[in-house]
Amino acid sequence: MRIVTIMTAVLIASLANLATDAMAAEEIYRWVDENGIVHFGDLPPENSNAELLSVQQRESSDTSSTSDSAAVELDPFAQPQPSLAQQLRDERALKRKEFEENKKMKEEACAQRRSIVTQLEPSTRVIVKLEDGTVTRLDDDLRLETLNEAKNYIAENCNN
């Protein structure tokens, strides 16, 4: 098992070395085919006029890291994009927050309906203050209708 792991690591390192050698080819040709499409390659096609491009070789991997950091420094005000995992976490947190807000509103509505039931159920004579500030007695039909609406809401929406 250990030999297989070592051999796999050696194989991967060899393939990576071959890939970088292939990318570091010194001669790159540019040509345009009959459809007007521009192509690049390390070998020119046989029956077309290919242009030889001069390519600067990188001396070491340190140069690539400094050029990458220079590219980052070009736009110091750019905001980094969150990763896909972070986007999913943010989305779940937003859904959780919305769920909690809806749950709180539902609990408040249930408490309000239960309060209506406790006020209207035991007494047939209910005195209410209207929006204009006048005080009046609820008639039995309106009291029973309001009581039934509150009980139906509780039965449909409240867990208890």
Side-chain angles (χ1 to χ4, degrees):
M1 178 79 168
R2 186 176 177 132
I3 294 174
V4 172
T5 305
I6 293 171
M7 292 300 288
T8 304
V10 169
L11 178 65
I12 290 173
S14 300
L15 289 175
N17 191 21
L18 288 175
T20 54
D21 287 345
M23 290 190 302
E26 293 180 15
E27 295 180 341
I28 295 181
Y29 295 92
R30 175 187 179 272
W31 68 92
V32 180
D33 66 6
E34 61 275 355
N35 296 327
I37 299 173
V38 178
H39 298 275
F40 296 92
D42 56 352
L43 295 174
E46 294 177 8
N47 54 0
S48 71
N49 294 334
E51 174 185 356
L52 179 62
L53 301 176
S54 62
V55 179
Q56 294 179 352
Q57 294 286 56
R58 291 185 182 172
E59 293 181 17
S60 68
S61 62
D62 294 339
T63 308
S64 65
S65 65
T66 57
S67 66
D68 291 343
S69 65
V72 171
E73 292 175 13
L74 289 178
D75 191 5
F77 300 108
Q79 295 292 331
Q81 293 295 326
S83 67
L84 179 61
Q86 184 62 42
Q87 291 174 2
L88 292 174
R89 282 191 293 270
D90 292 344
E91 185 178 321
R92 281 193 306 264
L94 181 63
K95 286 182 180 179
R96 193 176 320 116
K97 182 180 177 185
E98 289 174 356
F99 175 77
E100 291 297 324
E101 289 174 355
N102 288 339
K103 183 179 175 183
K104 183 178 178 182
M105 287 176 26
K106 193 175 185 180
E107 287 173 356
E108 289 173 358
C110 288
Q112 181 184 25
R113 297 313 194 288
R114 287 186 185 107
S115 173
I116 291 172
V117 169
T118 58
Q119 291 173 357
L120 298 180
E121 195 168 39
S123 177
T124 57
R125 296 187 71 175
V126 178
I127 307 296
V128 292
K129 187 174 185 179
L130 300 177
E131 291 177 5
D132 62 357
T134 60
V135 177
T136 186
R137 179 177 176 262
L138 270 175
D139 65 338
D140 280 341
D141 292 335
L142 184 57
R143 182 184 69 83
L144 290 174
E145 181 182 335
T146 307
L147 184 63
N148 286 333
E149 286 176 3
K151 285 182 176 182
N152 288 337
Y153 183 87
I154 291 169
E156 291 175 6
N157 298 305
C158 303
N159 293 334
N160 296 343

